[in-house]
Amino acid sequence: MSVIRRARPTDAAAMGRVYVESWRSTYPGLIPDHYLVGLSEEALTARWRGQLAWGRDGDGVFVAVERPHGVVGFVTCGVQRGQLAGYGGEVYTLYLLDQAQGHGLGRRLMAAAATELLARGYPSGLVWVLRDNPARWFYERLGGRRLGEQTICLARELLPEVAYGWGDLSELARLPVNPPLE
Ligand SMILES: CC(C)(COP(=O)(O)OP(=O)(O)OC[C@H]1O[C@@H](n2cnc3c(N)ncnc32)[C@H](O)[C@@H]1OP(=O)(O)O)[C@@H](O)C(=O)NCCC(=O)NCCS
């Protein structure tokens, strides 16, 4: 049984763990090893704790909680940080532990983010994904339209990213976030 809910400051440590584990299992070969080795759960926990405590304006953060494991994934979203015309909202991060993948939680987290973006007045949105990350097929499966590419610099490497967009987030938001209560 799993539930998607808004994140609380007490979720920060679990989010730090999910982030580091997910990066280390997703990005070997895509992002330099030394960068992945250097990721710090403590630093990320502090970052999430600060963000959640201050309730930073514009950010929506949702966690996937699975009994008995606790937080197994999360999504964050808000105003688009770039300048791609016609897409007001953005999904910034979406990460699940390995064992939590492939059971529909990613889709439900995306539905929560889409619902949040709509509520904040963004009818459309996008996500950036590393071009060589197989997760891009997930965004295609959810109806994302390939919008374009950019190159980012991470750990002194140039990495190609692809943007996927939803002109109408209401389709994503229609997906069930949580199973109906019995
Ligand atoms: C990408 C991710 C969030 C997807 O979440 P998930 O819970 O595994 O995906 P779901 O079970 O909700 O899948 C929804 C649909 O997408 C498809 N899908 C998911 N990942 C896929 C992949 N890598 N390739 C092709 N299809 C994929 C599923 O088969 C499913 O299709 P269906 O409707 O035909 O059953 C998750 O796998 C993850 O955390 N990956 C590692 C971190 C990452 O890369 N995050 C994205 C950073 S931009």
Side-chain angles (χ1 to χ4, degrees):
M1 164 72 177
S2 53
V3 169
I4 310 293
R5 62 160 170 77
R6 202 173 283 279
R8 307 169 183 141
T10 47
D11 295 320
M15 289 170 65
R17 185 172 63 85
V18 168
Y19 188 94
V20 170
E21 283 192 26
S22 191
W23 270 60
R24 287 185 180 152
S25 68
T26 304
Y27 294 132
L30 300 180
I31 291 177
D33 284 355
H34 69 88
Y35 187 87
L36 298 175
V37 169
L39 288 172
S40 155
E41 249 181 74
E42 291 71 27
L44 287 155
T45 296
R47 185 176 108 190
W48 294 120
R49 190 172 288 128
Q51 182 166 333
L52 294 168
W54 297 335
R56 208 171 74 187
D57 204 27
D59 279 3
V61 185
F62 295 86
V63 289
V65 183
E66 212 164 55
R67 281 196 205 122
H69 309 292
V71 171
V72 294
F74 65 93
V75 66
T76 70
C77 63
V79 62
Q80 194 210 146
R81 296 170 297 189
Q83 282 157 4
L84 256 171
Y87 295 85
E90 179 171 350
V91 172
Y92 304 142
T93 48
L94 173 62
Y95 290 104
L96 288 165
L97 294 175
D98 277 7
Q99 65 268 25
Q101 294 176 19
H103 307 297
L105 282 175
R107 178 185 264 133
R108 288 166 58 193
L109 285 166
M110 284 295 285
T115 305
E116 176 75 3
L117 290 173
L118 285 169
R120 286 166 185 260
Y122 305 118
S124 58
L126 57 76
V127 64
W128 286 99
V129 55
L130 285 183
R131 192 189 60 199
D132 298 329
N133 181 351
R136 70 194 177 93
W137 304 117
F138 163 77
Y139 297 120
E140 294 219 1
R141 180 76 185 99
L142 264 57
R145 199 164 64 84
R146 201 175 161 135
L147 301 178
E149 285 203 24
Q150 68 179 8
T151 304
I152 56 161
C153 185
L154 189 65
R156 293 200 210 130
E157 298 262 340
L158 294 177
L159 305 173
E161 279 191 326
V162 185
Y164 284 93
W166 290 263
D168 179 5
L169 284 171
S170 57
E171 280 176 36
L172 264 185
R174 265 196 289 276
L175 299 170
V177 172
N178 281 315
L181 294 173
E182 291 172 9

